[in-house]
Amino acid sequence: QQQVKQSPQSLIVQKGGISIINCAYENTAFDYFPWYQQFPGKGPALLIAIRPDVSEKKEGRFTISFNKSAKQFSLHIMDSQPGDSATYFCAASPGTGNQFYFGTGTSLTVIP
Amino acid sequence: ETGVTQTPRHLVMGMTNKKSLKCEQHLGHNAMYWYKQSAKKPLELMFVYNFKEQTENNSVPSRFSPECPNSSHLFLHLHTLQPEDSALYLCASSQGTPRSGGIDEQYFGPGTRLTVT
């Protein structure tokens, strides 16, 4: 059973546009929601993360929006750049320990 | 550079071969992980070692055999693999639990692209 569902599978955005990737979960024990960015030939790297006690977290052009009641969270990339082209994974964790559940990934292409 | 290195980066092996993947972390971490990454699938956690002790084995077939001789090195020994085992194998490390508590953020290596012919 897939613990975290991610959409879309792929996304093409014009330079300067907003990229939006969505994730949903069922397990209410999840308490930590990170996003990872993976470039070709590289491993995933932590991009930004949120706890459910806040509804939004912003770091530069990257924002996580969190809806606890709907059990959904999303990544928004503002002013998308070609250098943002990568695969993005959402994940969820119970908040302690080292167990992470990953989404299936979204391949983002930003067109110049 | 993430501080986690993996060798080889690419590996092609026949179904009857025996090979090993190597992971080394330079971050002073105490936990190490093996993940399998296949296209259009979530990352699959295979094995976890905390302080050199295996604490997780997610029903991985016996043709995959991990080894953790110390906190800095992790191996994945492969034998009689199947074509469906072709994937990107990622190693990760973290501070380790339960001593650190809280979120135990993981740092990934670049992976080994494995092709089984």
Side-chain angles (χ1 to χ4, degrees):
Chain A
Q1 181 183 353
Q2 198 170 319
Q3 297 269 6
V4 179
K5 295 182 179 179
Q6 182 172 348
S7 64
Q9 184 175 301
S10 63
L11 182 62
I12 300 174
V13 172
Q14 209 64 33
K15 177 183 176 181
I18 302 173
S19 304
I20 301 174
I21 305 170
N22 301 299
C23 284
Y25 65 98
E26 287 296 326
N27 190 341
T28 55
F30 289 150
D31 194 41
Y32 177 72
F33 303 88
W35 285 89
Y36 293 85
Q37 180 186 55
Q38 183 177 25
F39 292 106
K42 302 283 188 182
L46 178 65
L47 183 63
I48 185 173
I50 197 169
R51 293 267 199 183
D53 53 345
V54 296
S55 60
E56 185 175 283
K57 182 174 182 180
K58 184 176 181 179
E59 289 184 4
R61 296 184 293 108
F62 300 91
T63 300
I64 300 179
S65 296
F66 188 84
N67 186 330
K68 188 173 182 178
S69 61
K71 290 186 281 187
Q72 295 175 348
F73 58 109
S74 59
L75 176 70
H76 297 239
I77 306 175
M78 313 300 285
D79 186 26
S80 299
Q81 299 297 313
D84 297 330
S85 297
T87 299
Y88 293 82
F89 293 91
C90 62
S93 170
T96 58
N98 53 14
Q99 185 68 271
F100 287 81
Y101 300 89
F102 290 86
T104 50
T106 296
S107 176
L108 171 66
T109 302
V110 181
I111 301 172
Chain B
E1 180 58 58
T2 63
V4 180
T5 59
Q6 291 187 242
T7 54
R9 295 295 309 275
H10 301 270
L11 178 62
V12 179
M13 60 185 291
M15 293 169 60
T16 58
N17 291 161
K18 289 185 180 181
K19 296 286 184 182
S20 296
L21 309 184
K22 179 183 177 182
C23 176
E24 184 173 0
Q25 59 93 2
H26 311 272
L27 300 170
H29 288 165
N30 296 300
M32 298 188 77
Y33 312 75
W34 280 116
Y35 285 90
K36 178 182 179 181
Q37 185 176 27
S38 303
K40 302 180 183 179
K41 289 186 177 181
L43 268 68
E44 300 174 47
L45 180 63
M46 301 175 70
F47 301 104
V48 181
Y49 279 83
N50 273 304
F51 298 89
K52 300 189 295 179
E53 297 293 323
Q54 185 175 318
T55 57
E56 194 87 29
N57 176 342
N58 280 353
S59 304
V60 180
S62 60
R63 57 185 184 268
F64 295 92
S65 174
E67 178 189 1
C68 188
N70 55 61
S71 294
S72 298
H73 294 86
L74 184 66
F75 296 90
L76 187 62
H77 304 298
L78 317 171
H79 65 96
T80 59
L81 294 190
Q82 304 298 311
E84 60 264 29
D85 296 323
S86 298
L88 182 69
Y89 287 84
L90 291 165
C91 173
S93 71
S94 68
Q95 290 281 356
T97 58
R99 294 183 185 180
S100 58
I103 291 297
D104 195 23
E105 195 54 66
Q106 298 178 15
Y107 297 81
F108 288 86
T112 294
R113 174 66 63 185
L114 174 67
T115 303
V116 181
T117 60

